Amino acid sequence: MRLVVIGVNHKTAPVALRERLALVGDDVNVALKQIEAFTDGSVIVSTCNRTEIYALVPQTSTSQHANSQLSDSQSSNVQDVKAAGQSSSNNTFSSSMNISSAAISAHITKIKTWLADFKQLPLVDIDPYLYVHRDTHALTHWLRVAAGLDSMILGEPQILGQIKNSVHLAQDQKVLSNQLGWIIDQVFAAAKRVRNETQVGAQAVSLSFAAAKLVTQIFDDLPSRTLLVVAAGEMNRLVATHIAGLGVGRVIICNRNPERAEALAAELRGPNRRVDVRPLQELPQVLAEADIVSSCSGSMDLLIDKTMTIQALKRRRYQPMLMIDLAVPRDIDSTISRIDDVYLYSVDDLQHVIAGNIEQRRQAAVDAELLVSQLVVEIDRRFQVRQVGKDIQQYRACTQGQVDKLLHESIAKLQQDDVSPEDIITELSRRLTQTLTHAPSKLMRKAAREGDSELLDFVVSGLQDAHRGH
């Protein structure tokens, strides 16, 4: 397949180096165009935790490298037959194209050197932190990354969206070859299966995601629900974004600083979502309007006490409320948890939930890793079937060209005087037989010389079966 990946991530490089190797904004477009000069397509994935280049080693250079090792025009066909006869292994992606390891290594070095030059860093400084995968190992790595198995937060779903964005950038720059596009389709389909068929991403492992999960467990009909955001800091922004993304119909933001509240409101507004901004002193009045409350103010005093909550419940006719207190010190009176129809969760409650969920994800990751291995084998086989179809077409076209040449020569001889048609047809038959049996005969002799009994048996039995079929 000629697939390689070169990169760094949170496991191999410190944040200071990851920052220097990051490819963002216009850098990505420029980089993709430059890499296009010496690859058959590439995708650059650059996040806070990784910078990776997925690329195909160009076919032309690898075929030239291989051809320099061959003695005649038919030797490449011999090697193709041998590749088709080899058993499946981690290197079968490269076997069908007869790509030498040296050719792939040379292009890996070229990509590393380009990256160092592009980021204006000495290669010797970054090389120890770079990891390299090739062929099915590269495919396995890409699938693990897409499924969230290589993320800092095991099973997190954001990385798949980030990879899709990276692919869109490559498509916009027109640097995706058909073969790389096919690989990407397989990776996305396989990553979806991993997430759907295992529990690796099923449990919440961040405070904001855990809070959103609670909402779905307590409420349905979310478009009719109202979220009250008390304080517009970064943590509450994340929580509000997650919960709003579930489809709640209305959001109220209470904050001391109106500018920050308006900035958050602008982020959350949507075609089917109303967002209101209220001063913090109106909190007792708006509390009754909220089905869901998320508070994280940093205040030293309680913002929501028991009396305020009881009054809000009366005005709500005791419809249930979910209160999430992410503040330390707490914003919400802990005794509220004793009130019927109120579900109060503190930051410690959510941390306990997350700790249990992380362990469940670790257990699910075992199943996910096994599924990844199985899916890589399936993709490998599909690739071989896809590739051998092209190889067969090329082999038939080559053979047809030789047959046409012999036929043209024979027709020309038949037009001459004093020739025997029987002799010409006999000679044509002999030369056709030699042409069509040359490659398999040479392959059998080579297998015998090298003591490759498995390949020899494969070719001999295959030819015998073909003759019996006729």
Side-chain angles (χ1 to χ4, degrees):
M1 179 173 282
R2 304 175 283 123
L3 179 65
V4 298
V5 55
I6 298 99
V8 295
N9 63 19
H10 58 283
K11 299 176 185 176
T12 68
V15 65
L17 181 60
R18 297 202 306 273
E19 287 175 341
R20 300 181 71 185
L21 289 176
L23 293 164
V24 295
D26 291 338
D27 277 357
V28 177
N29 295 332
V30 175
L32 286 169
K33 281 299 186 182
Q34 290 186 9
I35 297 174
E36 184 185 19
F38 52 89
T39 65
D40 271 357
S42 62
V43 173
I44 295 174
V45 177
S46 189
T47 72
C48 57
N49 286 327
R50 70 181 65 246
T51 293
E52 295 178 330
I53 301 169
Y54 296 86
L56 287 186
V57 174
Q59 220 168 16
T60 52
S61 62
T62 53
S63 62
Q64 289 169 359
H65 182 92
N67 288 339
S68 68
Q69 308 300 320
L70 303 177
S71 59
D72 58 62
S73 62
Q74 286 192 312
S75 294
S76 59
N77 291 333
V78 173
Q79 294 297 332
D80 288 343
V81 174
K82 181 171 182 179
Q86 289 177 332
S87 59
S88 177
S89 70
N90 280 339
N91 207 30
T92 52
F93 273 73
S94 62
S95 64
S96 66
M97 289 307 302
N98 190 35
I99 298 176
S100 73
S101 177
I104 295 178
S105 296
H107 269 81
I108 288 172
T109 301
K110 186 177 292 188
I111 294 172
K112 285 182 177 181
T113 302
W114 168 85
L115 178 62
D117 292 343
F118 189 82
K119 300 305 294 185
Q120 299 181 342
L121 294 169
L123 179 58
V124 68
D125 289 351
I126 67 173
D127 198 38
Y129 300 95
L130 293 171
Y131 48 80
V132 174
H133 303 292
R134 59 174 74 185
D135 301 321
T136 49
H137 294 293
L139 180 65
T140 300
H141 176 80
W142 204 348
L143 181 46
R144 291 187 72 254
V145 172
L149 296 174
D150 196 54
S151 297
M152 182 179 290
I153 300 176
L154 180 64
E156 57 92 6
Q158 286 82 7
I159 185 62
L160 183 58
Q162 291 167 330
I163 293 175
K164 288 182 177 179
N165 289 337
S166 299
V167 170
H168 290 153
L169 288 175
Q171 289 173 330
D172 291 342
Q173 294 299 313
K174 298 183 177 9
V175 296
L176 287 188
S177 61
N178 290 336
Q179 186 164 311
L180 185 55
W182 183 86
I183 295 170
I184 290 167
D185 290 342
Q186 306 307 305
V187 169
F188 286 162
K192 184 177 180 180
R193 280 192 59 184
V194 172
R195 299 196 69 83
N196 288 342
E197 297 179 21
T198 71
Q199 298 296 308
V200 71
Q203 304 297 330
V205 293
S206 68
L207 287 174
S208 54
F209 188 29
K213 194 77 172 177
L214 285 175
V215 172
T216 62
Q217 292 172 353
I218 295 173
F219 296 106
D220 53 14
D221 190 24
L222 291 176
S224 67
R225 303 297 176 177
T226 296
L227 166 66
L228 172 60
V229 180
V230 182
E234 179 61 20
M235 178 55 71
N236 243 3
R237 186 188 70 80
L238 292 173
V239 172
T241 300
H242 273 83
I243 296 177
L246 298 174
V248 295
R250 185 186 177 204
V251 178
I252 303 171
I253 303 173
C254 283
N255 194 60
R256 288 190 177 90
N257 185 322
E259 289 80 12
R260 178 174 286 185
E262 288 293 350
L264 178 57
E267 290 184 36
L268 299 179
R269 285 193 179 98
N272 299 312
R273 184 180 307 115
R274 173 184 165 191
V275 181
D276 299 321
V277 174
R278 302 283 187 85
L280 189 61
Q281 56 265 34
E282 291 186 17
L283 179 59
Q285 289 74 43
V286 300
L287 185 61
E289 302 175 41
D291 303 289
I292 307 153
V293 180
S294 177
S295 186
C296 187
S297 73
S299 171
M300 298 304 294
D301 302 315
L302 290 176
L303 299 182
I304 301 175
D305 60 26
K306 189 173 183 179
T307 301
M308 187 190 304
T309 304
I310 292 173
Q311 291 174 349
L313 277 173
K314 287 180 180 179
R315 292 172 56 195
R316 290 174 52 80
R317 298 184 180 180
Y318 298 97
Q319 295 181 61
M321 298 177 71
L322 169 63
M323 293 186 171
I324 301 168
D325 188 357
L326 301 175
V328 179
R330 286 178 285 196
D331 286 341
I332 304 175
D333 188 345
S334 62
T335 61
I336 290 174
S337 62
R338 301 176 193 151
I339 301 176
D340 292 339
D341 302 314
V342 176
Y343 302 90
L344 174 61
Y345 287 82
S346 69
V347 66
D348 286 347
D349 296 328
L350 292 182
Q351 290 286 12
H352 288 313
V353 171
I354 289 170
N357 290 348
I358 289 174
E359 182 56 34
Q360 290 182 43
R361 283 199 178 188
R362 289 195 184 114
Q363 295 173 8
V366 177
D367 295 331
E369 295 283 7
L370 179 60
L371 181 56
V372 165
S373 299
Q374 295 170 348
L375 291 171
V376 167
V377 171
E378 291 178 14
I379 297 171
D380 186 7
R381 288 173 179 166
R382 285 197 295 272
F383 172 78
Q384 292 183 67
V385 171
R386 185 175 185 266
Q387 185 59 47
V388 80
K390 296 179 180 178
D391 293 342
I392 290 171
Q393 284 181 335
Q394 293 171 0
Y395 185 78
R396 284 179 173 173
C398 178
T399 303
Q400 186 63 52
Q402 292 171 322
V403 170
D404 290 345
K405 180 175 179 292
L406 294 175
L407 184 60
H408 178 75
E409 292 174 355
S410 298
I411 292 173
K413 289 179 181 178
L414 286 171
Q415 293 173 352
Q416 299 173 4
D417 296 332
D418 300 328
V419 295
S420 169
E422 291 82 359
D423 291 344
I424 293 174
I425 292 174
T426 299
E427 177 65 13
L428 174 61
S429 175
R430 184 187 66 80
R431 294 180 68 186
L432 283 173
T433 301
Q434 287 181 332
T435 297
L436 297 176
T437 60
H438 176 73
S441 298
K442 189 169 183 179
L443 179 59
M444 285 189 284
R445 285 194 295 270
K446 185 175 187 294
R449 283 197 308 269
E450 295 180 356
D452 194 342
S453 58
E454 183 179 351
L455 175 59
L456 184 60
D457 291 343
F458 174 81
V459 175
V460 171
S461 62
L463 292 173
Q464 290 174 344
D465 289 343
H467 286 301
R468 280 197 293 269
H470 288 81

